[in-house]
Amino acid sequence: MRIPNDDDGAAEAESIAGGHHDPQGRWVVYDQIPRRPDRPADYDAYRYPVPCERGCVVSGYDLDRPDELQRRGRRLHHVGHGAVDLPQRKGTPVTLVLLEHQQGDAEVLYVGPLFGTTVATRHTLREGGQVHDYVLVFGHLDAAAPGLRPGMRLQSGDLIGLVGDTGSPELVHLHLESRRVREGVDPARLAPAALVDGSSTMPCDPRNVLPLR
């Protein structure tokens, strides 16, 4: 995220979607990849790693929306939501879904505590003639799949883990986050917290990469 220069003008800065007021009242602009215009806005148009009927996304990506339309609002410390939340019964299997234009298998990058019990996977996509790495974050799992460990390769339908509420007591859901890896960064060498740090990866609207139904 960046804070605009004084020359930007406060009124102009605050008219920009994709930012928020920080606790000091400053206007902060997200460094993020919003939904592409060619991708459907309707979350029901996409396939997810858990069974998903119409309306199953209860909290969507809103980093590209005006401050007052973001999930948490300007007065709280945490603002915006760079993922989708999918409520399911505890213990529902979470299985790998190959992303749009993915090349090859996914790679497990991390298994352990982050957003509660979390699994992070690496996906290589070809977009517009270029190759980009993405990290998918599966958060608040009840448990990761038995034996899952970094370096393992996963194919479509392989088990990631089970839906839970670790790190989110009594709010049983899957937190699914998509982040594009920045140029020159090897996600396999990152510490767990760096996988979701803006200096290493950039939040991306999941609708850009999830497969259509």
Side-chain angles (χ1 to χ4, degrees):
M1 295 188 287
R2 69 174 180 84
I3 299 174
N5 296 326
D6 292 339
D7 293 340
D8 292 338
E12 179 181 354
E14 293 186 20
S15 70
I16 301 171
H20 73 274
H21 291 88
D22 72 8
Q24 288 73 44
R26 298 175 301 179
W27 183 249
V28 180
V29 177
Y30 292 117
D31 191 6
Q32 49 95 25
I33 304 172
R35 180 181 60 87
R36 300 197 314 263
D38 62 305
R39 300 292 287 175
D42 185 358
Y43 286 103
D44 293 332
Y46 299 90
R47 290 195 292 118
Y48 296 96
V50 292
C52 191
E53 302 299 328
R54 180 170 272 297
C56 70
V57 174
V58 296
S59 184
Y61 185 93
D62 63 19
L63 300 185
D64 55 349
R65 306 189 75 184
D67 186 11
E68 63 272 13
L69 297 180
Q70 293 176 28
R71 183 174 70 165
R72 297 182 185 272
R74 70 175 61 185
R75 291 183 298 276
L76 300 180
H77 179 69
H78 296 290
V79 292
H81 190 229
V84 293
D85 286 339
L86 300 153
Q88 288 286 329
R89 290 184 178 180
K90 183 178 285 191
T92 298
V94 179
T95 58
L96 187 77
V97 173
L98 296 184
L99 303 182
E100 284 284 305
H101 309 299
Q102 181 169 330
Q103 296 189 321
D105 298 335
E107 177 189 359
V108 178
L109 292 175
Y110 176 70
V111 181
L114 191 57
F115 297 110
T117 299
T118 298
V119 172
T121 55
R122 174 185 194 168
H123 305 250
T124 300
L125 278 60
R126 178 168 289 279
E127 302 173 306
Q130 295 184 317
V131 173
H132 297 285
D133 278 341
Y134 282 80
V135 172
L136 282 192
V137 178
F138 304 83
H140 305 305
L141 299 174
D142 190 53
L148 199 69
R149 62 186 185 277
M152 291 182 66
R153 311 293 293 189
L154 298 178
Q155 299 180 339
S156 179
D158 285 348
L159 183 65
I160 295 287
L162 305 175
V163 172
D165 63 351
T166 57
S168 178
E170 299 182 5
L171 297 174
V172 181
H173 70 286
L174 173 67
H175 171 95
L176 179 64
E177 187 169 338
S178 168
R179 303 182 68 92
R180 183 193 281 183
V181 179
R182 293 188 181 275
E183 294 296 328
V185 173
D186 181 357
R189 295 179 176 272
L190 294 176
L195 291 170
V196 293
D197 180 83
S199 63
S200 302
T201 64
M202 188 187 319
C204 170
D205 192 315
R207 290 170 291 187
N208 284 350
V209 296
L210 287 170
L212 296 171
R213 289 185 183 271

